[in-house]
Amino acid sequence: SFKGEVIADKEDFTDAKISFSADITSLSTGNEQRDGHLQSPDFFDAATHPQLTFESTKIEKKEDNEYRITGDLTMRGTKKSIVLNAEYGGIQTDFYGNTVAGFEMTGKLNRKEFGLQWHGVTEAGSIVVSDEVKLAIAAEIVKQK
């Protein structure tokens, strides 16, 4: 369960304000036991911190279709600035007559900086959870009429 909003007056999105929130309790990996562990105090602590949020603070157009989005990510009660590299896929009209803009975004963060400290090692000595989390986001933004 999540919600996102982009407010922009300029067609090139350089003045955009982006907000996003996700309910931690809606997280689903297809494995109930793992989902329960991720919602526990070992990871996201959903009972105390039920939402993850992102608010953009700066949008820079690097090239025609490349942007750098800086914003505040709040997870588990900790707010940190992160950077997302965004590739603009263009605008088109969908089958329903809606104007849709497409973006692909990437970034990374250190989960421990957000209080996600749990770690584990397999019997073979492999790390179970990396400290670095890579973000890959595909988003379609539908223009409101």
Side-chain angles (χ1 to χ4, degrees):
S1 175
F2 60 91
K3 181 172 94 173
E5 182 177 62
V6 176
I7 298 173
D9 289 323
K10 295 183 179 179
E11 296 243 349
D12 70 355
F13 295 98
T14 52
D15 67 336
K17 296 291 180 200
I18 302 167
S19 61
F20 174 83
S21 64
D23 295 330
I24 298 299
T25 56
S26 72
L27 183 112
S28 177
T29 66
N31 180 308
E32 273 188 52
Q33 185 178 3
R34 180 174 40 226
D35 294 347
H37 191 206
L38 289 172
Q39 292 178 29
S40 78
D42 281 347
F43 283 95
F44 293 106
D45 194 8
T48 307
H49 308 286
Q51 284 203 322
L52 171 149
T53 63
F54 176 82
E55 296 283 336
S56 66
T57 56
K58 184 177 184 182
I59 306 231
E60 301 168 88
K61 188 172 184 178
K62 295 168 60 175
E63 293 184 26
D64 282 345
N65 65 339
E66 293 182 18
Y67 293 78
R68 178 180 164 102
I69 302 168
T70 305
D72 293 329
L73 177 67
T74 302
M75 184 167 40
R76 201 184 154 114
T78 300
K79 182 193 291 187
K80 297 267 183 193
S81 181
I82 66 166
V83 174
L84 299 172
N85 294 307
E87 184 177 337
Y88 174 52
I91 293 179
Q92 66 181 8
T93 302
D94 69 11
F95 294 117
Y96 307 104
N98 298 310
T99 302
V100 180
F103 287 89
E104 289 186 8
M105 295 162 274
T106 59
K108 59 185 173 180
L109 58 90
N110 185 318
R111 68 181 177 89
K112 288 188 173 183
E113 292 179 356
F114 290 90
L116 284 84
Q117 301 293 325
W118 185 88
H119 66 282
V121 178
T122 65
E123 290 179 16
S126 297
I127 296 172
V128 176
V129 180
S130 174
D131 291 347
E132 182 180 87
V133 176
K134 293 180 181 178
L135 305 171
I137 305 159
E140 288 187 349
I141 303 164
V142 179
K143 185 174 185 176
Q144 299 299 299
K145 297 176 181 178

